[in-house]
Amino acid sequence: MQRELRLFFSIFIIIFFLGSCVSEPDRSTTGEGSSIESPEIPPYQSISAHMAAGDPQQALKSFEEAYSEHPEATETKLLYASLLITIGDADRAEEPLRTILAENPEHTEALYNLALVRGMQSKEEEQLELLERLLDIDEDHPQALSALGEIHLADGQYKMAEEAFRRSLDSEPDNFVARTGYSHLLLKRQDYEEAEEQLDHAIELEPNYPYSYSDRAAARRAQGDQPGALNDLDRAIELDPDYYWNYIDRGKIHLDAGELDKALKDFDRAAAIRPHYFLAYVYRGGIREDQGKITAALEDYRRLAELKPDYQPVYESIGVLSFQQELFEDAAWGFAKHAELYPRDYSYHLMAGVAQLFAGNSEAGRKYLQQLLERIPRENILHLATQIFLDRRYEDRLLTKLKEESNLNQKARAHFYLACYYKLHDQQRLANIHLLEVDDANLYSLFETELAQAEIREKENS
């Protein structure tokens, strides 16, 4: 993660550096005797235009057409290396930079670009050495300081990161990268008010950079300014309509406000952008479940389980909703998966076995319950609740123990499993009596309550 973060920030440092680098070559550097002929549109203008349009590949092509036959000038080599870095070709960028440094070991911009190359190659120690060497030559080099700040930030060295960012901003108050990096540090420190101030300044410098709005939305939301956060996310999405996380963040704000349709629209868009990432399905599945769209919710939860098998909460939801839909094999699987994480919460294990019986898998269900019976303490009422599915002679014992049970949670659960037992034996009237007992207990922390109330509502509406 740190390596990815370093590379992420390095690329943006490059982009903003190129804003000053892509300019008309200094004739004192290229030489009076240069045979480069100026075309109708000067090549440096073409390169700059392509960079401004976000097309570094075309900028590189323009460069190669104009300057590749005259590579000896330092500025030409530097520009070539910078363009190669921008398109991610760090290895090819290294050669012109080394040539510059062989001629002038203290060329600060070549050192800076080579440091960026080392960062892209995941050679962090060499990257740091180059930045420190550069700062020995020019202690106030703003880009090197901001790059150093990003490295320290990624490594969790927050004091050192702050010092580097502050020094960069002292040297160049309008250094966008340093402003942005410093705001990230403040967000990590939960200093949201100052982070917002830094991002205000960053947005003034680069009003069309979408991620500053995303970051400021986070700072504003943390301070309770939901309208301000929504405005920022709207602007960020306008500037970059395909960025996944803006839809997730905006959807969460709509969700908190109870605007489920707006939230659902955002999570739909997020899922369309990144169909193989799990988070949109967490939120969308929850909304669909709340709206009673159980089939659609189950689709999201199954997709979530496929993409993120270690996201444990999804398995209970699959078990409960599948049981409601009489998809009993799916329910058995969901409850069994959830039970793996909670081996002593016997109700999930019991429900997995019961669902197998409802699915018609009598042999597998009975085997599962027999194994469970060996683990449940005999004093636990769920021991008897398990036994009744294996031997009907235990029915009266469970009913007697139920009258003596003082634990309300266990009592409600036992009523629910009696209801399941009677349903399996086509005694719906008795099943209904026990379902009503679960409903009257009103213990919303139990999934058995949810199942009982769902069945009661279905009967009332039929």
Side-chain angles (χ1 to χ4, degrees):
M1 184 64 182
Q2 289 181 357
R3 182 174 298 173
E4 293 173 355
L5 189 62
R6 288 180 184 176
L7 179 58
F8 173 83
F9 286 122
S10 294
I11 294 300
F12 284 105
I13 291 166
I14 296 161
I15 291 171
F16 285 99
F17 168 69
L18 283 176
S20 60
C21 182
V22 181
S23 56
E24 182 173 3
D26 185 344
R27 294 194 181 276
S28 65
T29 304
T30 57
E32 292 294 335
S34 172
S35 62
I36 299 175
E37 295 180 3
S38 296
E40 186 173 346
I41 299 176
Y44 62 83
Q45 289 186 12
S46 174
I47 294 167
S48 183
H50 288 308
M51 288 301 298
D55 190 354
Q57 288 281 3
Q58 190 59 44
L60 180 62
K61 183 179 179 181
S62 294
F63 169 86
E64 289 174 337
E65 289 173 354
Y67 294 124
S68 60
E69 294 181 3
H70 307 277
E72 67 279 358
T74 298
E75 288 295 333
T76 302
K77 294 172 186 172
L78 187 61
L79 176 55
Y80 185 43
S82 298
L83 289 168
L84 289 167
I85 290 169
T86 306
I87 66 168
D89 195 341
D91 293 339
R92 272 209 296 161
E94 184 172 341
E95 183 180 350
L97 295 172
R98 283 196 169 280
T99 303
I100 295 171
L101 291 169
E103 298 170 356
N104 180 3
E106 296 192 351
H107 194 291
T108 56
E109 300 314 321
L111 286 169
Y112 173 69
N113 276 270
L114 188 56
L116 295 178
V117 167
R118 290 292 178 260
M120 295 169 72
Q121 294 170 335
S122 300
K123 298 178 180 178
E124 290 88 351
E125 290 185 8
E126 292 183 36
Q127 182 186 23
L128 274 171
E129 288 174 4
L130 286 163
L131 290 172
E132 289 168 356
R133 179 175 153 193
L134 189 164
L135 290 169
D136 285 340
I137 300 166
D138 180 2
E139 65 179 9
D140 295 323
H141 192 284
Q143 286 80 25
L145 286 166
S146 60
L148 191 63
E150 299 293 1
I151 292 171
H152 290 321
L153 178 60
D155 286 339
Q157 303 289 335
Y158 294 159
K159 287 185 178 179
M160 295 172 70
E162 181 176 13
E163 180 185 357
F165 288 135
R166 285 188 177 278
R167 285 175 58 195
S168 179
L169 291 170
D170 287 342
S171 177
E172 185 180 52
D174 288 344
N175 185 322
F176 173 80
V177 177
R179 288 281 173 196
T180 304
Y182 188 33
S183 72
H184 293 164
L185 171 61
L186 294 166
L187 286 170
K188 285 182 175 292
R189 285 182 170 173
Q190 300 182 356
D191 190 346
Y192 300 116
E193 185 175 355
E194 188 175 353
E196 184 177 353
E197 291 176 6
Q198 292 295 327
L199 289 162
D200 287 344
H201 196 157
I203 288 169
E204 288 177 8
L205 294 170
E206 295 290 338
N208 293 322
Y209 183 72
Y211 308 110
S212 294
Y213 294 97
S214 305
D215 291 337
R216 192 170 69 177
R220 287 178 164 177
R221 187 182 179 200
Q223 297 176 84
D225 182 7
Q226 308 301 338
L230 276 176
N231 287 337
D232 274 343
L233 288 170
D234 288 346
R235 178 60 176 152
I237 288 169
E238 179 184 348
L239 291 167
D240 186 355
D242 295 322
Y243 186 59
Y244 178 90
W245 292 103
N246 286 334
Y247 293 98
I248 293 293
D249 290 340
R250 191 171 69 175
K252 287 161 65 176
I253 293 175
H254 288 315
L255 186 59
D256 290 343
E259 297 178 321
L260 299 188
D261 288 338
K262 289 182 179 179
L264 192 59
K265 185 177 180 181
D266 278 332
F267 296 132
D268 282 343
R269 178 63 180 143
I273 292 171
R274 292 184 66 180
H276 301 297
Y277 193 70
F278 77 100
L279 196 56
Y281 302 105
V282 174
Y283 292 108
R284 191 172 71 178
I287 292 173
R288 287 172 163 177
E289 183 178 352
D290 289 344
Q291 292 179 331
K293 301 173 182 176
I294 304 304
T295 300
L298 273 172
E299 289 177 2
D300 279 336
Y301 290 148
R302 291 190 191 106
R303 181 67 169 147
L304 174 55
E306 176 186 347
L307 294 172
K308 186 74 170 171
D310 60 345
Y311 187 77
Q312 195 65 32
V314 72
Y315 297 112
E316 180 179 359
S317 296
I318 290 174
V320 169
L321 296 185
S322 296
F323 197 87
Q324 288 179 21
Q325 298 294 100
E326 298 187 355
L327 302 170
F328 297 121
E329 288 190 357
D330 288 351
W333 177 81
F335 284 120
K337 289 290 289 184
H338 188 85
E340 290 175 6
L341 190 64
Y342 303 100
R344 294 192 178 182
D345 194 338
Y346 303 114
S347 56
Y348 291 102
H349 295 274
L350 176 51
M351 197 63 209
V354 168
Q356 287 271 37
L357 298 179
F358 273 99
N361 300 326
S362 178
E363 183 177 349
R366 288 178 62 84
K367 182 178 179 181
Y368 187 95
L369 292 173
Q370 186 63 56
Q371 292 172 345
L372 172 62
L373 195 62
E374 297 170 3
R375 303 201 310 272
I376 305 177
R378 287 186 173 273
E379 63 273 15
N380 190 317
I381 196 171
L382 293 185
H383 188 278
L384 278 173
T386 303
Q387 282 184 316
I388 63 171
F389 294 101
L390 299 169
D391 188 339
R392 296 190 66 173
R393 291 176 298 176
Y394 285 92
E395 177 185 341
D396 289 339
R397 294 190 192 183
L398 178 56
L399 290 168
T400 300
K401 188 170 178 61
L402 192 56
K403 295 176 182 178
E404 302 168 354
E405 180 62 56
S406 59
N407 185 305
L408 297 180
N409 282 2
Q410 296 294 80
K411 192 168 188 172
R413 281 176 161 155
H415 277 297
F416 178 78
Y417 294 111
L418 272 166
C420 292
Y421 166 79
Y422 287 126
K423 283 184 68 177
L424 283 167
H425 291 90
D426 297 320
Q427 295 177 281
Q428 189 62 53
R429 184 184 63 82
L430 289 175
N432 292 342
I433 291 172
H434 290 282
L435 289 173
L436 289 171
E437 290 286 349
V438 181
D439 186 29
D440 288 343
N442 211 28
L443 298 172
Y444 286 104
S445 62
L446 306 181
F447 72 82
E448 292 93 344
T449 301
E450 182 178 349
L451 287 171
Q453 292 181 343
E455 184 169 345
I456 290 168
R457 286 195 303 270
E458 183 180 355
K459 293 182 185 305
E460 291 174 347
N461 295 330
S462 61

